[in-house]
Amino acid sequence: MNVLLLGGTGRTGGRVLQQLLGRGVRVRAVVRSAERLPAGVVDDPQLTVVVADLVSLSDEQVREQVDGCDGVISCLGHAVSVQGVFGPPRDLVTRSVERVYRATREVRPAQPVKLILMSSVSVNRPGGLDTRRGRFERAVVWTLRGLVPPARDNQRAADFLHDVIEAADPYAQWVAVRPDTLKEGDVTEYALHEGLVDSLFRPGETNMANVAHFMCELATDPEVWAAWRGRLPVIVNASPA
Ligand SMILES: NC(=O)c1ccc[n+]([C@@H]2O[C@H](COP(=O)([O-])OP(=O)(O)OC[C@H]3O[C@@H](n4cnc5c(N)ncnc54)[C@H](OP(=O)(O)O)[C@@H]3O)[C@@H](O)[C@H]2O)c1
């Protein structure tokens, strides 16, 4: 299978890239800077590196990247710096997801492309389905979205997937993966939940390697995909026994 990877130079995206290649998946990675890819992957014959900024490509160029892909994984995120958080593009994640989705409609693949978005537990399930948050916590999250563009961007990207891509869409299906606080470490046991399990004030932990593992499972295992498509699973490390 072929996967288009966005954000492959990031902390989680790099792990996704290594794990996809380890599974024998062909990967096309669109990156701004190939030097930032994880060590040892660039010579892998299964990897094609496209040095480009997806948000700056023409529609035709985005189509070329999406064409032939069975899945698209986005691990894009805003850099943790004043420029990264408050500078353009403030809608990096949303715009990328929208562009990729629109490209799938033009490519008209025979099977729906799997769109897999790295999201966050700060993102609410649309329709008020995350009932776990109390009133005060909801107010904090709402304020964060008003003040911090990346928080707003992540919510909008998930809303776009939920609101625009219908279950019967012939060209694309989606899953938005919601990790809690990201941690280093290897793949361990992890748990998947339909809704939130921890609070903003007592956050859970999620190894980036576990996020990568779940995203690879979604891309490669039809049963895992069928279980989660059209949903926003929360992923957290399993509690030690
Ligand atoms: N931090 C947490 O605890 C946490 C928890 C849950 C979810 N999340 C979410 O998870 C996602 C990924 O997190 P991460 O820490 O793995 O990300 P990261 O290490 O910061 O990587 C971000 C990726 O996005 C790319 N990128 C950033 N700005 C870009 C731009 N303007 N144009 C094109 N590419 C750009 C980076 O490319 P370059 O290498 O070229 O900069 C990099 O590949 C984010 O959306 C974040 O909000 C984070």
Side-chain angles (χ1 to χ4, degrees), residues 27-103:
V27 182
R28 189 181 297 164
V30 177
V31 297
R32 294 193 293 186
S33 164
E35 301 84 68
R36 291 169 58 80
L37 285 165
V41 297
V42 279
D43 296 327
D44 193 309
Q46 299 285 93
L47 174 65
T48 305
V49 179
V50 179
V51 178
D53 183 350
L54 191 94
V55 290
S56 310
L57 293 179
S58 67
D59 290 348
E60 172 64 29
Q61 288 169 320
V62 175
R63 247 188 336 263
E64 282 169 14
Q65 301 312 322
V66 169
D67 199 2
C69 287
D70 307 289
V72 180
I73 298 181
S74 170
C75 294
L76 289 170
H78 300 254
V80 185
S81 65
V82 174
Q83 173 61 26
V85 171
F86 295 103
R90 290 184 164 192
D91 57 353
L92 169 71
V93 181
T94 309
R95 211 189 314 170
S96 304
V97 162
E98 286 181 8
R99 298 201 77 193
V100 164
Y101 172 63
R102 309 240 183 265

Side-chain angles (χ1 to χ4, degrees), residues 7 9-12 32 36 53 76-77 89 118-119 154 179-180 182:
T9 54
R11 298 186 306 157
T12 313
R32 294 193 293 186
R36 291 169 58 80
D53 183 350
L76 289 170
M118 180 158 175
S119 183
N154 279 338
D180 211 312
L182 296 176

Side-chain angles (χ1 to χ4, degrees), residues 3-229:
V3 167
L4 172 63
L5 176 64
L6 309 177
T9 54
R11 298 186 306 157
T12 313
R15 290 167 163 89
V16 172
L17 178 54
Q18 288 169 315
Q19 291 189 31
L20 285 172
L21 294 173
R23 292 170 183 239
V25 175
R26 281 187 296 276
V27 182
R28 189 181 297 164
V30 177
V31 297
R32 294 193 293 186
S33 164
E35 301 84 68
R36 291 169 58 80
L37 285 165
V41 297
V42 279
D43 296 327
D44 193 309
Q46 299 285 93
L47 174 65
T48 305
V49 179
V50 179
V51 178
D53 183 350
L54 191 94
V55 290
S56 310
L57 293 179
S58 67
D59 290 348
E60 172 64 29
Q61 288 169 320
V62 175
R63 247 188 336 263
E64 282 169 14
Q65 301 312 322
V66 169
D67 199 2
C69 287
D70 307 289
V72 180
I73 298 181
S74 170
C75 294
L76 289 170
H78 300 254
V80 185
S81 65
V82 174
Q83 173 61 26
V85 171
F86 295 103
R90 290 184 164 192
D91 57 353
L92 169 71
V93 181
T94 309
R95 211 189 314 170
S96 304
V97 162
E98 286 181 8
R99 298 201 77 193
V100 164
Y101 172 63
R102 309 240 183 265
T104 66
R105 298 194 65 80
E106 287 163 21
V107 168
R108 301 167 79 87
Q111 298 294 325
V113 175
K114 296 172 178 175
L115 305 184
I116 303 168
L117 173 69
M118 180 158 175
S119 183
S120 162
V121 287
S122 71
V123 166
N124 283 342
R125 248 191 309 165
L129 291 170
D130 277 328
T131 49
R132 170 73 183 74
R133 269 190 187 119
R135 199 173 296 169
F136 178 63
E137 194 176 336
R138 283 205 302 275
V140 171
V141 172
W142 189 80
T143 308
L144 270 179
R145 279 195 213 118
L147 297 177
V148 187
R152 189 163 58 239
D153 188 20
N154 279 338
Q155 183 68 50
R156 284 188 176 159
D159 288 347
F160 175 83
L161 294 175
H162 179 270
D163 296 345
V164 174
I165 308 181
E166 293 173 5
D169 191 300
Y171 305 125
Q173 298 172 350
W174 62 274
V175 173
V177 177
R178 295 188 291 168
D180 211 312
T181 308
L182 296 176
K183 295 286 172 190
E184 301 287 332
D186 296 330
V187 177
T188 60
E189 292 210 8
Y190 56 84
L192 299 167
H193 301 273
E194 179 81 35
L196 300 173
V197 282
D198 294 299
S199 87
L200 215 57
F201 310 115
R202 292 188 57 199
E205 296 187 342
T206 314
N207 285 5
M208 288 176 274
N210 289 340
V211 181
H213 184 272
F214 179 47
M215 289 181 135
C216 292
E217 292 281 292
L218 285 167
T220 59
D221 186 330
E223 285 185 19
V224 176
W225 184 257
W228 291 105
R229 60 172 273 218

